[in-house]
Amino acid sequence: MATERLSISMSAEIRDGIREHAADAGLDVSTFLTVAAQAQLDQQDRVRRTFPPDAEARTEAEEQAGTGTWAGDEIEPTGEERAEVEAILGRPSRDAAGVGGCVLRVRAPARAPVSTPPATPAAPAAP
């Protein structure tokens, strides 16, 4: 494999650190930087295979979501429901004010009657 020369600029502090780490590893600076760069490239390739780039992921998510309406988009609250929201908020709802937006629907859940367990008879007293 043919090699090519690559020139890079950096601060003296970084240069000295690279030289020190290369010497500690028993490598010349060129080999040390080549190994470090290849390790970084390999890691990025693994990440890209695991997590597709943003644009690809976004496109896929949009295709999966479709362009339909969200649940509830076509539902218009009744006057009674608007009044209920206004009573809870203590002010007119955004829809009632003509601003548009979401309407909070609050309904009390159906509650089962509370029953008390039968009383347990007391144990007879010991003689």
Side-chain angles (χ1 to χ4, degrees):
M1 173 170 86
T3 59
E4 293 189 21
R5 185 170 185 80
L6 176 67
S7 176
I8 57 173
S9 300
M10 64 188 76
S11 70
E13 183 181 337
I14 292 174
R15 180 201 62 217
D16 293 342
I18 290 171
R19 286 182 175 157
E20 181 182 331
H21 283 266
D24 289 346
L27 301 171
D28 60 73
V29 170
S30 293
T31 303
F32 179 81
L33 288 176
T34 301
V35 169
Q38 187 60 55
Q40 182 64 33
L41 292 171
D42 291 345
Q43 179 189 23
Q44 286 178 324
D45 287 343
R46 285 191 305 273
V47 168
R48 286 181 181 151
R49 283 190 303 272
T50 304
F51 305 101
D54 288 343
E56 183 182 329
R58 186 178 312 110
T59 300
E60 184 179 331
E62 288 170 352
E63 287 171 359
Q64 288 177 0
T67 58
T69 56
W70 291 91
D73 279 353
E74 69 285 348
I75 298 173
E76 285 295 321
T78 65
E80 185 180 312
E81 289 168 330
R82 278 198 188 98
E84 185 178 356
V85 170
E86 291 168 10
I88 291 168
L89 297 176
R91 58 180 166 73
S93 67
R94 291 173 48 127
D95 273 1
V99 178
C102 297
V103 172
L104 173 65
R105 291 181 184 220
V106 178
R107 294 205 171 129
R111 299 181 81 175
V114 178
S115 62
T116 56
T120 307

